[in-house]
Amino acid sequence: MRYAMAVDTKKCVGCSDCVVACQTENKVPIGFCRDWVVEVTDGTYPQLEIEIRSERCNHCDNSPCVRCCPTGASHYADGGVVLVTHDMCIGCGACIASCPYDARYPHPDGYVDKCTFCLENRVQKGLNPACVSVCPTKCMYFGDLDDPNSSVSVILKKRKFKTLIPEAGTMPQLYFLI
Amino acid sequence: MNHLIDPNLHIWHWQIPLYLFAGGLAAGILFFAALNTILGRKEKYPVSVKLSPFIAPVLLIIGLSALFIDLNHKLYFWRLYTTIRLQSPMSWGAWTLMIITPLSFIWCGLNIKEILPKWDWKYKVLIDLEAFLRKYELVIAWLILIYALILGVYTGILFSAFNARPLWNTSILGPLFLTSGLSTAAAVIVLMSKSQLERHYFARIDLMLIGIEIFLIIHMFMGFLASTQVHIDAANLFLGGPYTTPFWLFVVSLGLVIPAILEILELLHYKMPAWIAPVLVLFGGLMFRFIIANAGQASRWLY
């Protein structure tokens, strides 16, 4: 099993519903968030192109955060999802410094927090992650890459996609449809 | 570090560079104490073997306290010692400190009568323990030598293991931090010693270490400038970017070049206050760690 997510940059309007849904579902403390929206403008006027991306932890196959964690709190869970065990985390910050996507933040309770793909609270109950399920443009696809019929496998077969900073070598599992 | 998810853009503040300075300095002091013991130069260079090591446990405790203050989940610090994670530099560091800190106390215990001749262990068990450990002094010296080297290199590897921060992601930081730690330790011994023989010996060692440091710094920049755009950008933080003045003024000029010139003049028997060069070396070593820690967190991959 290999959970992954695809985000359609052609459909995302940058409304930030995914951010709010995640904050609500996962009780993210005020001032922080586990996912975020990036708008990139390319080109020169009048030939401008805008790309909007809903970003979060890339749940990399080769995760620097899991490697550098001194206690084993950061680990690979079911389907390659990268999770942090709260009562094993000492809050040293090594994983925060190690993440090229800057997807982690120190939770005010002391441990380091990040996107979980809603693994335990939704996915294992047969639901989509909170961000995917609320998206008003249905621009996000979540599922198991090992299952050829999952929505994420189907869309990645049909569409061109990219990952973010593949040159950092972390083998990210967040795909952006372009 | 991501303004979109976290109001704080730095994860590591003053604690980490202070700890790396204290750890590197302690490693250097213990290294010279062990080396001169193994080479049988105890009486020739007494300050380095018997006196300066008393600073090491103090420095290690300052460093450990800074590390502890840095933790966000403090009460769980013991989790470091329920596992050994070979891929995590911080795990290596935690275990190395767990071994070298008691060794530094043992070393001080074995030498305490040198500075306090009337010292009495009082309890028989302590007297027996001292006699037992003294039999294995050479073994302890070898252990300290090895663990001091691991500690010194680790202070740099802690940074260099982070692929996400291009400025840190160069394995040259390991030897560079080790050399800098040894150089600051030589400076401390020069400050403490009253014998001209010992001061000149360590001034010569320091001079050699400063040469190696400059060599490694040049190679670090050559490596960056020959690499990808993000590595070139990382080098440019020091070559025209916001860290240019602090780095070239405080680290290279005041911390390396000027003390080297002063040490050469002193070895040529020019009269000058002997404390200036070693104090500058210590200042440069401290600034070096602060600047690398801060600049590294400002360097990142572009996307």
Side-chain angles (χ1 to χ4, degrees), chain A residues 25-177:
Chain A
E25 167 70 27
N26 298 300
K27 298 178 184 63
V28 177
I30 290 170
F32 298 96
C33 41
R34 292 180 179 180
D35 54 353
W36 62 96
V37 173
V38 174
E39 294 184 21
V40 188
T41 311
D42 270 332
T44 45
Y45 182 82
Q47 265 82 45
L48 292 176
E49 199 172 295
I50 190 163
E51 179 176 291
I52 305 175
R53 298 190 298 257
S54 166
E55 293 186 10
R56 58 192 53 54
C57 169
N58 282 258
H59 297 276
C60 307
D61 264 350
N62 175 25
S63 300
C65 53
V66 173
R67 223 179 310 132
C68 76
C69 178
T71 65
S74 282
H75 63 282
Y76 298 108
D78 280 353
V81 175
V82 176
L83 294 184
V84 181
T85 309
H86 296 174
D87 63 2
M88 280 174 80
C89 174
I90 58 172
C92 67
C95 56
I96 297 179
S98 80
C99 178
Y101 305 100
D102 292 329
R104 290 168 168 252
Y105 68 92
H107 192 283
D109 287 349
Y111 53 85
V112 171
D113 199 26
K114 63 181 272 299
C115 163
T116 60
F117 269 170
C118 291
L119 183 72
E120 282 156 7
N121 44 338
R122 293 183 62 93
V123 172
Q124 286 177 345
K125 294 175 185 164
L127 300 166
N128 266 329
C131 53
V132 177
S133 66
V134 299
C135 179
T137 65
K138 306 245 181 304
C139 81
M140 280 182 262
Y141 304 83
F142 178 80
D144 178 5
L145 284 182
D146 289 344
D147 171 7
N149 299 317
S150 71
S151 63
V152 68
S153 299
V154 171
I155 197 79
L156 289 178
K157 264 179 249 165
K158 278 200 271 190
R159 294 273 302 271
K160 277 190 181 172
F161 59 85
K162 66 172 181 183
T163 54
L164 297 177
I165 20 176
E167 63 274 27
T170 60
M171 300 166 75
Q173 297 302 318
L174 191 53
Y175 297 89
F176 292 91
L177 306 174

Side-chain angles (χ1 to χ4, degrees), chain B residues 207-221:
Chain B
L207 206 50
M208 185 184 75
L209 291 167
I210 288 174
I212 296 173
E213 262 182 87
I214 292 173
F215 172 81
L216 291 175
I217 286 173
I218 292 169
H219 275 249
M220 182 175 79
F221 282 111

Side-chain angles (χ1 to χ4, degrees), chain B residues 255-302:
Chain B
L256 297 172
V257 177
I258 293 176
I261 294 170
L262 292 175
E263 278 167 358
I264 291 170
L265 291 178
E266 206 195 329
L267 291 173
L268 295 173
H269 300 289
Y270 282 89
K271 281 261 174 261
M272 66 180 69
W275 57 271
I276 298 178
V279 166
L280 284 178
V281 166
L282 287 167
F283 171 75
L286 185 64
M287 289 305 288
F288 177 55
R289 282 153 182 85
F290 270 88
I291 289 169
I292 293 286
N294 284 330
Q297 293 179 76
S299 86
R300 56 171 302 168
W301 288 85
L302 306 167

Side-chain angles (χ1 to χ4, degrees), chain B residues 45-87:
Chain B
Y45 305 122
V47 171
S48 77
V49 175
K50 297 168 185 167
L51 192 58
S52 66
F54 280 88
I55 309 172
V58 179
L59 286 167
L60 288 172
I61 286 179
I62 291 172
L64 285 167
S65 309
L67 266 190
F68 183 70
I69 293 168
D70 175 66
L71 295 182
N72 285 313
H73 222 193
K74 293 186 174 52
L75 293 178
Y76 289 86
F77 78 94
W78 52 272
R79 284 287 192 182
L80 284 168
Y81 298 109
T82 57
T83 180
I84 294 178
R85 300 190 60 84
L86 295 178
Q87 287 193 316

Side-chain angles (χ1 to χ4, degrees), chain B residues 202-252:
Chain B
F202 278 96
R204 275 198 301 276
I205 287 183
D206 197 27
L207 206 50
M208 185 184 75
L209 291 167
I210 288 174
I212 296 173
E213 262 182 87
I214 292 173
F215 172 81
L216 291 175
I217 286 173
I218 292 169
H219 275 249
M220 182 175 79
F221 282 111
M222 282 169 61
F224 282 140
L225 293 174
S227 190
T228 64
Q229 185 61 43
V230 288
H231 291 94
I232 294 170
D233 289 347
N236 282 340
L237 288 169
F238 296 128
L239 304 172
Y243 292 92
T244 309
T245 313
F247 182 75
W248 295 101
L249 179 65
F250 296 139
V251 178
V252 178

Side-chain angles (χ1 to χ4, degrees), chain B residues 158-231:
Chain B
L158 179 67
F159 282 156
S160 72
F162 292 134
N163 160 288
R165 312 292 148 205
L167 176 70
W168 289 347
N169 191 213
T170 162
S171 48
I172 234 167
L173 280 189
L176 184 53
F177 273 58
L178 172 67
T179 316
S180 168
L182 291 174
S183 164
T184 50
V188 164
I189 296 167
V190 171
L191 273 180
M192 291 176 80
S193 178
K194 292 197 174 62
S195 116
Q196 206 197 29
L197 176 77
E198 189 168 19
R199 272 198 288 119
H200 279 191
Y201 173 70
F202 278 96
R204 275 198 301 276
I205 287 183
D206 197 27
L207 206 50
M208 185 184 75
L209 291 167
I210 288 174
I212 296 173
E213 262 182 87
I214 292 173
F215 172 81
L216 291 175
I217 286 173
I218 292 169
H219 275 249
M220 182 175 79
F221 282 111
M222 282 169 61
F224 282 140
L225 293 174
S227 190
T228 64
Q229 185 61 43
V230 288
H231 291 94

